[in-house]
Amino acid sequence: MTTAKEIMHEGAQWIPRTETLDRAAQLMRRLDVGALPVSDENDRLCGIVTDRDIVVKCVAAGHDPSHITAGDLVEGTPRWIDANADVSEVLEEMESHRIRRLPVIENKRLVGMISEADLARHLSDDQIAAFAEKVYAVR
């Protein structure tokens, strides 16, 4: 059984919901990532902010990213997976919610992220094709 922890990339960092989007973008650039999990005041996952969120929901809407916080952009119920979950559970979570990045949690703490690139490195071509069809299919 392959677990989420075995396919994730370690070293994921999150930002507090009070952090401004300009700082979030700088951290994304430094880490070379396109998404950051967002934590609440209790260090619990409360959402994810992506580079696209910053561009579309902030900059393109005419807002100043130095005055808008990550917490202002996060919406909905954050999705995550337990570090010990089987890869089939990872795929089910990502496919059913049509998401491309998934935080991995162990003992209530962020331990990594699973991205499409991580899936591509660890899954068969057939599994990747099924994932892409479910996540990217027009509904």
Side-chain angles (χ1 to χ4, degrees), residues 47-114:
I48 293 179
V49 65
T50 67
D51 48 6
R52 186 173 194 285
D53 290 335
I54 295 170
V55 170
V56 173
K57 296 177 182 176
C58 179
V59 177
H63 302 295
D64 182 347
S66 67
H67 292 103
I68 304 296
T69 67
D72 293 332
L73 290 193
V74 297
E75 49 191 48
T77 302
R79 309 310 309 175
W80 57 274
I81 197 82
D82 185 86
N84 295 313
D86 183 75
V87 71
S88 62
E89 295 173 74
V90 170
L91 288 171
E92 172 61 28
E93 185 69 18
M94 294 176 81
E95 290 169 357
S96 65
H97 297 285
R98 300 182 77 184
I99 55 177
R100 296 175 230 162
R101 301 169 182 104
L102 188 63
V104 180
I105 306 293
E106 184 174 55
N107 298 320
K108 300 182 181 179
R109 297 288 177 234
L110 178 70
V111 294
M113 289 281 281
I114 296 174

Side-chain angles (χ1 to χ4, degrees), residues 8-24:
M8 71 178 193
H9 58 271
E10 296 179 0
Q13 293 183 28
W14 54 20
I15 57 170
R17 67 179 299 118
T18 55
E19 190 63 82
T20 59
L21 296 180
D22 62 334
R23 301 283 297 187

